[in-house]
Amino acid sequence: MKYDVVIIGSGLGALECAHILSEEGKKVVLLEREVQPGGCLQSYNRKGLSFDTGLHYVGGLAEGQALYKPFKMLGLLNLPWKRLDADGFDRITIGERTYCYAEGYQAFVEQLASDFPEEREGLQKYVEMLQRSDRDQFEGLFGSHADMVNSPVGSPMFTTGAWDYLHEIIHNELLINILSGSSLKLELRKETLPLFTFAHCNGSYIASSWRLKGDGNLIVDALLRDIKANGGEIFCKAEVEQLVEKDGKIVTAICKDGRCFEGDLFVSDVHPAVTFDMIQESQYIKKIFRRRICRMENTFGMFTASIVLQPESVEYFNYNQFVYDQPDVWDFYQKKGPVRGVMISCRVPENGEKYARQIDLLTPMLWSQCEEWADSKVGRRGEGYQQLMTQKIKECIALAERVIPGLSGKISEVYTSSPLTYRDYTLTSQGSAYGLRKDYNNPMLTTLSPRTPVPNLLLTGQSLMVHGIHGVTMTALMTCAEILGKETIYKKLNQ
């Protein structure tokens, strides 16, 4: 059967593209290599409980904010979202002291200025930059006069380093660490991180922050229901092994089991390096391009300890906690020794009780820490790997106990994942948590657009312009604008 659009992968970007395109009458099919769709949004079950793999919270869902129009268009605003505490949706503990992020840009300034009055001017500049970034991103990409198909990588925010910018406006090193403290949702890297990425991954959360009352499959299922209602199809256990090019266009996706899917257009939501490896012969993809893609660096991966708590042992807390041993938020993960920084995310109790049943502990994990087991498979990694996971659990819990005293004695079960887990389930190179690393020194070389050298092959997903729920959604809109036209996307956003 021939389709208008064949989409490879079923992460958030793929699902959003399929939703938009099928709603506009395109005959769409998604091909997913795993047994269930969703990529890093998917959940898994253990002993009657569901656990998220990547989703913990989102920002900017209130009317007039960054994600409101896109999520309204995609039918996702009706999900059971729970707004986090306005007086401290993120709480940053460094050493023995905790600092709160208040919701709302001016409230955010006032909260931190009470501890750092001499930095009020710098804090004001900081939030003005975040507001300008959110506004410019939306207007630049989705405004009535925007050229959506052109990535704004030439803007000053792409060519400015986040670390350098913070030091220009803030003089207190501790405050810089506090402002960066919730940034385990991106890779902090002094030498490369663009201000654009830093601003994008922080600004919308200050506007408003939300958790789902339930797991990430709520998003996946909602999008899939609409896709299927629009005539779209999805096939799981359909691992695409080859993309066949003929006369300068991709014509067929061949799966590992021999199934073939023909299409007029192809959209890949898998890692770009994996995507171009699928094309064995091409008149458009030159060796120099392949070398460039293969040499692009990936962001770090994550270690996650998903914890089941003993009944009535920990009260639910409606905020995220970030705990650091020392004020070295930007590079603690590169230092040898025990875990020195952890994010604590609490699952909303679905039964309405005041006690939590599940929390997640997350900390960066470099590929080099698990590379020796790179040839192993899930469940067969050996004793050395299990010892490493056990040690990581102990270190994360020890740090988390600074804000949840006695946590180690309140645990009934722990399930872990590492960059190897993400690599095996999502086909992400080196288990990268945030896709390809962007570099403000070389934005044109490290930031990909949806377009590829092959005219009818497009990309989407977190490895393009920016990652995260908001970033992937923006990228999906850009990808669809290539197919449907900018005007169509603009009208859909503003219906």
Side-chain angles (χ1 to χ4, degrees):
M1 182 180 294
K2 188 173 183 180
Y3 297 86
D4 294 326
V5 187
V6 177
I7 300 177
I8 304 158
S10 68
L12 178 62
L15 292 168
E16 290 177 330
C17 284
H19 187 285
I20 294 167
L21 296 173
S22 64
E23 195 171 58
E24 289 299 308
K26 299 291 185 183
K27 186 171 181 58
V28 175
V29 63
L30 293 103
L31 306 177
E32 169 55 49
R33 69 190 289 266
E34 291 297 329
V35 296
Q36 70 180 80
C40 287
L41 279 182
Q42 65 182 280
S43 307
Y44 64 94
N45 293 297
R46 294 288 185 275
K47 298 182 179 180
L49 295 174
S50 64
F51 298 85
D52 278 313
T53 55
L55 175 68
H56 291 94
Y57 73 135
V58 301
L61 284 184
E63 188 168 1
Q65 295 177 2
L67 267 180
Y68 179 81
K69 284 185 177 181
F71 268 33
K72 182 180 180 181
M73 181 185 72
L74 293 163
L76 297 176
L77 287 182
N78 295 327
L79 296 178
W81 296 104
K82 182 175 179 62
R83 198 165 188 159
L84 299 187
D85 287 356
D87 60 349
F89 62 91
D90 282 346
R91 305 190 181 192
I92 317 300
T93 299
I94 298 178
E96 303 302 321
R97 179 76 188 275
T98 297
Y99 304 85
C100 295
Y101 288 4
E103 180 186 292
Y105 292 105
Q106 200 53 46
F108 180 89
V109 170
E110 296 301 325
Q111 183 91 293
L112 291 177
S114 65
D115 287 307
F116 301 92
E118 74 285 0
E119 296 285 4
R120 177 180 292 275
E121 182 180 351
L123 286 166
Q124 196 66 48
K125 289 180 179 178
Y126 177 72
V127 298
E128 287 172 1
M129 180 275 294
L130 294 179
Q131 288 176 285
R132 187 169 60 253
S133 171
D134 264 356
R135 182 176 62 250
D136 290 350
Q137 286 172 45
F138 188 86
E139 291 301 321
L141 294 172
F142 313 132
S144 58
H145 301 293
D147 183 6
M148 290 183 57
V149 296
N150 289 324
S151 173
V153 294
S155 75
M157 293 192 71
F158 267 99
T159 56
T160 300
W163 171 259
D164 295 333
Y165 174 81
L166 289 174
H167 281 80
E168 286 176 9
I169 64 168
I170 303 292
H171 306 291
N172 187 299
E173 201 70 32
L174 175 59
L175 180 55
I176 289 175
N177 277 271
I178 294 165
L179 292 174
S180 309
S182 70
S183 294
L184 285 182
K185 50 186 178 286
L186 69 149
E187 181 190 67
L188 292 178
R189 194 176 176 88
K190 298 176 183 178
E191 304 85 1
T192 57
L193 181 66
L195 180 59
F196 178 88
T197 307
F198 183 86
H200 167 84
C201 293
N202 284 293
S204 62
Y205 293 89
I206 296 174
S208 64
S209 288
W210 310 73
R211 283 183 184 144
L212 262 180
K213 188 177 181 180
D215 58 45
N217 277 341
L218 290 172
I219 296 176
V220 176
D221 293 343
L223 291 171
L224 276 177
R225 279 195 301 270
D226 288 348
I227 292 166
K228 291 176 181 179
N230 294 332
E233 299 179 62
I234 181 167
F235 292 92
C236 292
K237 300 181 71 173
E239 182 177 354
V240 176
E241 199 169 47
Q242 184 180 355
L243 294 174
V244 179
E245 182 182 312
K246 183 179 180 182
D247 298 327
K249 291 185 176 182
I250 305 298
V251 294
T252 308
I254 302 177
C255 294
K256 196 171 184 179
D257 60 9
R259 283 180 290 174
C260 296
F261 296 84
E262 297 180 353
D264 293 323
L265 289 168
F266 292 76
V267 175
S268 178
D269 188 38
V270 301
H271 193 284
V274 176
T275 299
F276 293 113
D277 277 347
M278 296 175 182
I279 308 172
Q280 297 173 2
E281 296 183 9
S282 173
Q283 70 180 69
Y284 285 110
I285 302 177
K286 307 302 181 184
K287 288 183 180 179
I288 190 170
F289 179 81
R290 290 185 187 274
R291 284 198 297 270
R292 174 200 163 194
I293 297 297
C294 289
R295 290 173 180 173
M296 292 177 75
E297 296 180 344
N298 294 292
T299 51
F300 60 50
M302 297 294 288
F303 169 83
T304 303
S306 297
I307 293 174
V308 181
L309 298 164
Q310 294 177 6
E312 300 185 1
S313 60
V314 177
E315 288 192 17
Y316 170 73
F317 46 94
N318 196 41
Y319 48 86
N320 301 299
Q321 302 193 68
F322 298 82
V323 184
Y324 298 92
D325 182 55
Q326 299 290 332
D328 54 358
V329 171
W330 277 75
D331 53 13
F332 73 92
Y333 63 91
Q334 296 174 315
K335 299 176 181 178
K336 293 183 179 180
V339 170
R340 302 177 66 168
V342 66
M343 174 184 177
I344 309 169
S345 177
C346 193
R347 180 75 170 266
V348 180
E350 295 180 41
N351 55 10
E353 292 184 0
K354 71 174 184 177
Y355 290 98
R357 190 71 200 280
Q358 297 166 250
I359 61 172
D360 284 346
L361 307 182
L362 300 93
T363 193
M365 188 172 185
L366 303 179
W367 179 248
S368 59
Q369 293 180 273
C370 54
E371 190 172 12
E372 66 178 280
W373 297 282
D375 295 330
S376 66
K377 295 182 179 180
V378 175
R380 300 179 181 179
R381 305 210 195 275
E383 185 177 344
Y385 177 80
Q386 293 305 321
Q387 289 175 349
L388 175 63
M389 295 296 99
T390 299
Q391 185 62 31
K392 285 279 187 184
I393 292 170
K394 290 179 180 178
E395 292 169 2
C396 285
I397 291 173
L399 206 52
E401 285 188 316
R402 296 192 180 191
V403 293
I404 309 177
L407 175 62
S408 59
K410 301 174 181 180
I411 296 171
S412 60
E413 301 280 351
V414 182
Y415 304 99
T416 63
S417 63
S418 74
L420 288 170
T421 316
Y422 282 89
R423 180 205 63 179
D424 290 349
Y425 280 108
T426 67
L427 207 63
T428 301
S429 294
Q430 298 182 338
S432 167
Y434 311 118
L436 293 170
R437 178 177 295 142
K438 311 302 183 290
D439 187 346
Y440 74 88
N441 300 291
N442 295 292
M444 299 299 293
L445 293 178
T446 58
T447 305
L448 300 175
S449 79
R451 296 172 177 168
T452 75
V454 183
N456 71 329
L457 173 64
L458 300 171
L459 303 177
T460 198
Q462 70 170 2
S463 281
L464 272 62
M465 189 171 67
V466 72
H467 65 268
I469 297 288
H470 183 195
V472 168
T473 300
M474 288 171 59
T475 302
L477 290 168
M478 292 173 66
T479 302
C480 290
E482 294 280 358
I483 299 170
L484 302 173
K486 178 214 31 134
E487 294 80 6
T488 298
I489 300 300
Y490 176 74
K491 288 178 182 177
K492 288 180 70 66
L493 282 168
N494 289 281
Q495 284 177 351

